[in-house]
Amino acid sequence: MSETTEALRDAEPRARIVATAERLFREIGFQKTTVADIARELRMSPANVYRFFGSKAEIHVAVAGHLMSEVEAAAQQIAFGPGSASERLRALVIGNEKMNAERYLADRKLHDMVEAALDEHWPAIDAHIDRIDGLIESIIAAGMVTGKFAKGDPGLAARLVHTACIRFCHPRLMVEYADRPEPTSAQMIEFCLAALRAGVAV
């Protein structure tokens, strides 16, 4: 059997394990959920779960990766979708805020997993940030080409915008600033758009 065929064969059970783990993390918490719990829900043995994931920690990372991939997919659709660069950048930041709030703020048990990911510096977090930076960069670069934004370094501009808007997409900061209504994400993105049009710092 080729590696490609084997990977395709394993994809479905891996996805079921991740989906089941995510549901249990929401219901009883990621720390309390055991591999035996996941296996029981799937009517398989723990040993069978370990065929696809070497440890419980690998399942944690897979669940986090799945949640972040959904945010990235939505952001990619916005980044390469219709509308002006300003409209797409605005939609990406506000959409990112909404999706992260739905995933990590409304559900405190799932938020605990995010806290652990941040505290333990999971590489998946940095990879997610890099991918969002890249999508923001693509929008800004397009805006520079069309003259909507001043010419400059789109990579630097993307990191500046992402940093300026970090409190609206970073789960920990979203919690810490929940009682501070301003600036809103809409206000911050308008500030960033004004800077991009003026070519400030890029």
Side-chain angles (χ1 to χ4, degrees):
M1 182 182 296
S2 70
E3 289 185 9
T4 301
T5 303
E6 187 174 356
L8 290 172
R9 184 196 65 187
D10 291 350
E12 192 272 336
R14 283 178 63 88
R16 288 176 56 229
I17 290 169
V18 170
T20 300
E22 181 183 333
R23 178 170 57 79
L24 291 175
F25 290 176
R26 292 181 187 276
E27 292 174 358
I28 62 178
F30 92 104
Q31 292 286 19
K32 292 181 180 179
T33 300
T34 65
V35 172
D37 292 328
I38 297 168
R40 189 182 308 112
E41 289 289 314
L42 291 167
R43 297 183 180 181
M44 64 172 62
S45 68
N48 202 24
V49 174
Y50 282 121
R51 283 184 54 227
F52 302 98
F53 294 95
S55 65
K56 182 183 172 184
E58 285 188 15
I59 298 176
H60 292 170
V61 172
V63 171
H66 172 69
L67 291 167
M68 289 185 291
S69 71
E70 291 179 334
V71 175
E72 291 164 14
Q76 182 170 3
Q77 189 171 14
I78 292 168
F80 297 104
S84 68
S86 295
E87 290 169 340
R88 285 180 284 143
L89 191 56
R90 189 181 293 112
L92 190 151
V93 171
I94 294 174
N96 200 348
E97 177 189 27
K98 182 175 183 291
M99 291 190 74
N100 281 319
E102 289 171 348
R103 281 158 177 71
Y104 308 129
L105 300 191
D107 194 322
R108 292 299 304 176
K109 288 186 174 67
L110 200 59
H111 183 77
D112 290 341
M113 184 190 71
V114 177
E115 286 289 324
L118 294 169
D119 290 340
E120 297 167 14
H121 305 291
W122 293 4
I125 300 293
D126 286 338
H128 173 69
I129 292 170
D130 289 342
R131 284 190 284 270
I132 297 296
D133 271 349
L135 293 173
I136 294 173
E137 180 179 347
S138 69
I139 296 173
I140 292 174
M144 289 178 175
V145 168
T146 60
K148 296 295 184 181
F149 301 147
K151 298 294 185 183
D153 180 346
L156 173 59
R159 291 190 295 275
L160 289 169
V161 170
H162 202 177
T163 301
C165 296
I166 195 68
R167 62 167 282 190
F168 307 109
C169 58
H170 190 296
R172 182 175 290 163
L173 294 178
M174 291 175 80
V175 170
E176 291 179 0
Y177 284 89
D179 60 347
R180 297 186 181 184
E182 290 190 328
T184 64
S185 55
Q187 290 168 333
M188 182 58 77
I189 192 58
E190 292 308 320
F191 180 83
C192 292
L193 288 170
L196 289 168
R197 295 182 190 113
V200 176
V202 294

